[in-house]
Amino acid sequence: MEKIAFLGLGNMGGPMAANLVKAGFTVTAFDPAEPALQQARQNGCETVASAHDAVGGADAVISMLPSGAIVKELYLGARGILQALDTDTLVIDCSTIAASDARQLIAAAGERGIRAIDAPVSGGTAAAAGASLSFMCGGEAPAVEAARPVLAAMGANIFHAGPAGCGQVAKICNNMLLAIHMIGTAEALQLGVDNGLDPGVLSDIMKASSGDNWSLDKYNPYPGVMEGVPASRDYSGGFSVALMLKDLGLAMDTAAGSATSTPLGALAKNLYQLHGGDEVNRRLDFSSIQNLFRRPAGD
């Protein structure tokens, strides 16, 4: 498996495609945004004018797209690429979408004799750039094993969560928890700052104590505490509030379908909805939830 078609070159997809090139794969990439294509070319990808142009002759197709509707249109629409793929092509969808959408795609691929898996990721933009993502895969075991060498070029952990759609279920469980502990971290940091503590010192204390969590260790939400994270650059880049709201919506829909009680997940969604009430905030990284707790200057 040498030739990869990569579709979707955003904050996550762009670095992932670049790491495939570094690992020796030939990557043909497409994204509707020209700046993303320019960056992909600089990273060693061949870029083309359409998704159909990208998938011709590909051994594997990887997609990293923002919604289930876009994924279904890409593969299953009137001009969907699924009908253009050879039967020995492997489809790896790394988008975060509803498990039902993933199952629909994988079933449609199977009807054409094409192997497909859902393989959403965790780790954020830093892990995407550092090839240390975690992949949560759903699908038949042989297809997941076939994808493993490709995924290993982009990640450090590859999990087979179960049959089709199970990768998506694992992802929304993870991201619901991520939202909850990011909010809790931001709230605790603000409580300390409002009572005279330095946020960096408090972060160090909590990291060495029972309050330690991923947000403190890898993605501190308080400005000036940690270098290289969105909080250090006015919350630009990273994983947007809009995307977190999408994932929390998927989690709540899934919980409703299984009659699962998720009160903290529902509260997290409500707080992100409050924070993302305007378009500016929706484009910020999700760690900007810290701003929901910070007092206005001079208050």
Side-chain angles (χ1 to χ4, degrees), residues 23-99:
F25 293 96
T26 299
V27 180
T28 304
F30 172 71
D31 190 282
E34 180 57 34
L37 293 176
Q38 291 176 359
Q39 184 62 56
R41 286 192 289 271
Q42 292 176 16
N43 291 335
C45 299
E46 177 188 353
T47 61
V48 291
S50 72
H52 276 273
D53 291 339
V55 302
D59 298 315
V61 176
I62 301 175
S63 46
M64 186 58 151
L65 302 170
S67 73
I70 295 173
V71 170
K72 290 194 290 184
E73 181 63 25
L74 171 69
Y75 287 101
L76 308 176
R79 297 191 67 255
I81 62 171
L82 198 60
Q83 58 190 334
L85 299 182
D86 295 332
T87 55
D88 58 354
T89 306
L90 175 63
V91 172
I92 305 171
D93 181 43
C94 295
S95 316
T96 298
I97 60 177

Side-chain angles (χ1 to χ4, degrees), residues 2-18:
E2 299 177 353
K3 297 180 180 179
I4 309 295
F6 205 107
L7 309 175
L9 301 167
N11 290 336
M12 297 293 290
M16 291 166 67

Side-chain angles (χ1 to χ4, degrees), residues 107-254:
E111 290 173 0
R112 294 185 54 84
I114 296 170
R115 298 167 297 169
I117 66 171
D118 54 295
V121 305
S122 181
T125 53
S132 58
L133 290 166
S134 292
F135 288 90
M136 309 166 207
C137 303
E140 295 184 357
V144 173
E145 289 307 308
R148 198 172 287 273
V150 178
L151 300 180
M154 301 179 287
N157 301 291
I158 302 167
F159 300 99
H160 186 191
C166 286
Q168 300 296 346
V169 175
K171 175 61 186 287
I172 62 170
C173 291
N174 180 80
N175 275 25
M176 183 180 74
L177 178 59
L178 171 62
I180 291 167
H181 71 61
M182 178 59 79
I183 292 169
T185 298
E187 185 176 8
L189 286 169
Q190 196 60 51
L191 175 62
V193 168
D194 289 348
N195 285 276
L197 288 179
D198 179 277
V201 172
L202 178 56
S203 294
D204 288 340
I205 291 171
M206 292 193 293
K207 285 193 292 184
S209 305
S210 56
D212 189 24
N213 64 73
W214 185 90
S215 294
L216 276 172
D217 286 338
K218 306 292 186 183
Y219 218 83
N220 196 293
Y222 207 93
V225 173
M226 184 178 289
E227 294 183 359
V229 297
S232 69
R233 52 178 186 269
D234 296 324
Y235 301 108
S236 63
F239 184 66
S240 72
V241 169
L243 289 176
M244 177 56 84
L245 276 169
K246 182 204 75 171
D247 289 1
L248 288 169
L250 291 173
M252 295 303 98
D253 290 345
T254 302

